[in-house]
Amino acid sequence: MPDTRFTLPSWNTLAGLADADLPLFATALLIARDEYPELDPARCDRLLQAHADHLRTEVSAIGEWPLKVAAINHHLFNELGYSGDHDAYYDPRNSYLNEVVARRLGNPISLALVQMEVSRRLGLPLEGISFPGHFLVRLPVEEGVLVMDPFNGGRPLGVDELRERARSNLGGRTPDDQILARILDPAPHRAILVRILRNLHGVYAEAGQWDRAARSADRILTLAPRQNDALRDRGMAYLHLGHDAGARSDLAGYLQREPDADDATQVRDRLVGLGSGRPRLH
């Protein structure tokens, strides 16, 4: 019989929760259940708890936080074999936490979730960073923050490498200390979950799997109703699916919210193609 002591939240409760109250690990599994309806969340919970329990005595005996997290990383990435999926980076399984735990393969954000959750259960406040292009994690330390790359074995990253990585995503501009510090701010739980769903939407849209693309955009709107891009993305997915009424509603709603968006003309043209005419904006 499945263990029912660990349960998932309900989608209809999440939008109203404060960010700090959003259960990150459980909501990531909730996202996975859309694709895997038979998912057993308690089994995933037990697997991560086993990782933490294996480490508990060793980590408790270590005094310094950086050395504690080094022991966690060694167990996860060297002994258990969690690793970044360099061969099939855009495989959607790399975004679904149940698959990541089962295959021990993932993308940067899903591996970060495993690393963060195991660390949390061991009392370490590991945080996510919505770094441009590549999700990272951070650990507060006395002299600042220790930044690590979960996609590459939890490797620590120095300031020069962080500047270079950021520069390639800032139009070639090297960030100064203030900008880099802002980039390295911890990501809110809601932003992390939305980023997972954006990744899935992108993968499914690229593959022309418009039902799954629409579902991913819809879940973003459930978590964060003011995510205007997700409203447009759901509308475009509905358009591909032939759900004209839904497409009209979403695309018109997007233009009401973003009348001066860079893609407003293209979206209006789509609406005209649906026979709606130019929408009346308020």
Side-chain angles (χ1 to χ4, degrees):
M1 294 291 291
D3 185 346
T4 59
R5 287 175 293 178
F6 180 83
T7 58
L8 300 185
S10 167
W11 278 110
N12 61 18
T13 67
L14 296 177
L17 291 180
D19 190 82
D21 296 328
L22 268 175
L24 187 58
F25 174 66
T27 307
L29 287 174
L30 187 64
I31 291 170
R33 194 171 64 181
D34 280 337
E35 185 66 17
Y36 301 93
E38 302 305 314
L39 179 152
D40 181 358
R43 179 176 182 275
C44 296
D45 174 65
R46 288 195 302 273
L47 286 170
L48 263 66
Q49 189 61 44
H51 298 346
D53 289 343
H54 177 87
L55 284 159
R56 194 169 307 282
T57 300
E58 178 185 0
V59 169
S60 296
I62 299 171
E64 300 295 326
W65 278 7
L67 297 179
K68 287 177 183 284
V69 80
I72 294 170
N73 289 345
H74 179 76
H75 182 58
L76 291 178
F77 300 114
N78 295 96
E79 295 178 347
L80 294 179
Y82 281 94
S83 64
D85 192 347
H86 294 268
D87 295 329
Y89 187 88
Y90 295 104
D91 187 327
R93 291 177 297 176
N94 291 330
S95 289
Y96 291 122
L97 204 51
N98 61 316
E99 286 287 325
V100 175
V101 172
R103 299 166 65 233
R104 298 187 181 173
L105 278 176
N107 58 26
I109 196 166
S110 63
L111 292 169
L113 286 180
V114 172
Q115 190 184 15
M116 290 163 63
E117 181 63 19
V118 172
S119 297
R120 183 190 68 79
R121 295 178 187 214
L122 293 168
L124 270 73
L126 209 60
E127 302 165 313
I129 304 171
S130 284
F131 202 81
H134 196 103
F135 199 84
L136 302 173
V137 297
R138 52 173 270 169
L139 178 72
V141 293
E142 287 185 6
E143 60 274 21
V145 291
L146 172 64
V147 179
M148 293 163 283
D149 180 359
F151 192 67
N152 290 291
R155 182 171 68 85
L157 303 175
V159 171
D160 290 342
E161 183 172 356
L162 289 167
R163 287 192 202 281
E164 182 60 27
R165 287 192 181 201
R167 188 178 70 82
S168 64
N169 290 279
L170 295 173
R173 182 166 55 94
T174 301
D176 60 22
D177 290 347
Q178 185 176 11
I179 293 174
L180 184 60
R182 193 159 57 244
I183 291 172
L184 295 176
D185 278 345
H189 286 185
R190 185 169 269 104
I192 294 172
L193 295 164
V194 166
R195 185 159 171 166
I196 293 170
L197 288 161
R198 284 196 186 284
N199 288 344
L200 284 167
H201 172 269
V203 167
Y204 288 135
E206 181 69 22
Q209 296 183 35
W210 295 109
D211 53 343
R212 290 180 167 91
R215 181 184 71 201
S216 301
D218 183 68
R219 293 311 196 190
I220 292 173
L221 291 166
T222 300
L223 275 171
R226 300 305 301 175
Q227 288 280 327
N228 298 340
D229 287 355
L231 187 64
R232 175 204 60 205
D233 292 343
R234 188 177 66 180
M236 295 301 293
Y238 284 160
L239 187 64
H240 283 281
L241 290 168
H243 181 14
D244 290 357
R248 286 191 192 97
S249 176
D250 282 356
L251 297 180
Y254 172 70
L255 290 174
Q256 288 177 336
R257 296 183 186 187
E258 299 279 357
D260 300 317
D262 291 342
D263 61 354
T265 298
Q266 294 95 316
V267 172
R268 288 190 181 97
D269 288 345
R270 292 285 192 170
L271 279 168
V272 170
L274 281 167
S276 66
R278 200 171 288 272
R280 184 174 301 167
L281 303 180
H282 303 284

